[in-house]
Amino acid sequence: MRQRVALLALLLLQTFCVSAWSDDDGPEIGGSQNKYEKEIQAVVRNKRFYKSGKVELAISAGLLPYDSLFDHYLLGGRLAWHISDHYGWEIVDFQKPFGSVTSFTTSLASNPTKNIAVLQALQLNNMVGTSFLASPFYGKIRFFGAQVVYLDVYLALGLGMVNTTTHEYNHTASSTTFSQTVAATGWDLSLNYGVGFKFFLGNAFSLYFDMRNYMSNSVMYGNRALRSNFTVTGGFSFFLPNFG
């Protein structure tokens, strides 16, 4: 329930920021931009935010909403280079999880009626990766007749490394206490993929909402297997040079 509330609060905050920052649909930018849009036969005119050749710095915060054994909250940053307006390279994506064991985990580990002699849970320590970005969709949305939001929808696919710690909880059938040990720790290969939505503010900033899965090849119960680490993040980014 707490994770759903946090996710809803993140969505409401982003919606509020977009509404507060967006301006009216301004006049034609004119000059070189109009000429450029005619040359590339742009469907959406007066786009304002062409990303080609720009570097994007981003910070984010989020969570892992579907991990019932560990509560993970994230702080991170990304650095991307936009090769063209529709393709880019996310040079580095770094996420720092802050994890704590859930009451569900301790309840399972300490309850002799569950017949679970050994319970293992995976804690994420660091996540780093690099990804190819594609922005196949972009457009403008008008809200309530006055506010115009410029947006991109982007896809991410890449590789990375995830630093993990596998915790093991042991109890006996006649006891309500348990012991905790570290079964494994180290860096695991990961396959990263996801989708995001970017809302442009002014001529240098954007807000974004990102859903991404860091599929790690991690150790659980003595064997390596692919594990889904689905994340939901939101944040803002800054473009260099700005859109001018």
Side-chain angles (χ1 to χ4, degrees):
M1 179 65 182
R2 178 164 52 86
Q3 292 171 340
R4 293 179 180 176
V5 171
L7 180 57
L8 178 59
L10 182 64
L11 291 172
L12 290 175
L13 176 61
Q14 182 145 320
T15 301
F16 171 80
C17 291
V18 168
S19 177
W21 282 72
S22 298
D23 296 323
D24 288 349
D25 191 5
E28 288 290 324
I29 294 177
S32 61
Q33 172 140 339
N34 285 342
K35 182 179 179 181
Y36 174 74
E37 289 179 339
K38 291 178 181 178
E39 289 176 351
I40 65 172
Q41 298 182 340
V43 176
V44 177
R45 298 297 178 91
N46 193 19
K47 184 182 177 184
R48 295 190 178 183
F49 304 110
Y50 286 99
K51 301 173 299 196
S52 180
K54 292 178 172 60
V55 173
E56 182 181 8
L57 301 172
I59 62 172
S60 64
L63 52 80
L64 275 73
Y66 300 126
D67 192 340
S68 59
L69 300 180
F70 259 87
D71 281 331
H72 284 103
Y73 298 94
L74 305 172
L75 288 177
R78 290 167 178 154
L79 171 65
W81 172 46
H82 295 280
I83 303 170
S84 70
D85 201 52
H86 298 293
Y87 302 103
W89 174 29
E90 193 173 76
I91 301 171
V92 61
D93 168 23
F94 177 75
Q95 302 294 324
K96 175 62 179 177
F98 297 90
S100 61
V101 66
T102 66
S103 58
F104 175 73
T105 301
T106 56
S107 175
L108 283 179
S110 60
N111 193 338
T113 64
K114 299 297 184 181
N115 296 320
I116 300 177
V118 177
L119 175 66
Q120 290 192 355
L122 194 71
Q123 180 179 2
L124 305 178
N125 303 317
N126 294 289
M127 300 188 295
V128 61
T130 184
S131 298
F132 172 76
L133 300 176
S135 301
F137 309 110
Y138 68 92
K140 300 188 290 186
I141 299 177
R142 181 180 293 275
F143 286 96
F144 304 111
Q147 303 296 331
V148 173
V149 175
Y150 298 80
L151 64 91
D152 271 2
V153 179
Y154 63 90
L155 307 174
L157 177 64
L159 298 173
M161 299 289 290
V162 176
N163 182 257
T164 62
T165 300
T166 304
H167 295 276
E168 182 172 291
Y169 305 89
N170 299 273
H171 75 86
T172 60
S174 60
S175 174
T176 58
T177 63
F178 63 91
S179 61
Q180 177 181 347
T181 58
V182 174
T185 185
W187 287 91
D188 308 322
L189 288 172
S190 68
L191 172 66
N192 313 327
Y193 58 90
V195 60
F197 305 87
K198 190 169 296 178
F199 305 89
F200 295 98
L201 312 173
N203 67 346
F205 293 94
S206 76
L207 288 176
Y208 68 91
F209 173 69
D210 189 284
M211 296 174 289
R212 202 172 297 200
N213 195 5
Y214 297 83
M215 292 284 294
S216 62
N217 187 30
S218 302
V219 176
M220 292 285 286
Y221 298 100
N223 297 309
R224 285 196 174 274
L226 287 177
R227 171 189 166 85
S228 176
N229 300 300
F230 179 77
T231 67
V232 177
T233 61
F236 68 90
S237 63
F238 180 76
F239 289 86
L240 296 173
N242 62 37
F243 295 106

